[in-house]
Amino acid sequence: MVEAGVPGFVATLLTGIVAPAGTPAPIVGKLNGVINTTLEAPDMVELLTKFGSQARIGTPEQFATFLSGETRKWTEIASGECSVD
């Protein structure tokens, strides 16, 4: 984005897993635990690294905060509301 005149913004590829709104917290927690355990497995880390990727392990709340920030950032960029020096 620097090349486009938007300093301080980095575009990355994101792959995430979400559940339908209203999914009970215990189910979300269990899914999150299984997914995190899988992503921490040495063979998975090796595979992701091979493809130039890395997992960002965290809680559902952390992922929701991240998605909210990304949505806000890219909405500002798309609407031209971001400040460009």
Side-chain angles (χ1 to χ4, degrees):
M1 291 299 299
V2 172
E3 297 86 0
V6 185
F9 288 96
V10 176
T12 58
L13 176 64
L14 167 70
T15 302
I17 298 173
V18 296
T23 301
I27 292 174
V28 171
K30 182 164 181 108
L31 287 170
N32 184 68
V34 170
I35 291 165
N36 286 346
T37 298
T38 301
L39 291 172
E40 292 172 327
D43 56 338
M44 181 59 78
V45 172
E46 181 181 346
L47 181 63
L48 290 172
T49 301
K50 177 180 176 182
F51 291 105
S53 187
Q54 61 183 355
R56 181 182 284 178
I57 311 262
T59 66
E61 295 78 17
Q62 289 168 324
F63 188 51
T65 298
F66 172 77
L67 288 178
S68 177
E70 289 295 291
T71 300
R72 188 171 40 259
K73 175 176 73 175
W74 291 106
T75 298
E76 289 175 7
I77 290 171
S79 68
E81 294 176 15
C82 65
S83 62
V84 178
D85 295 333

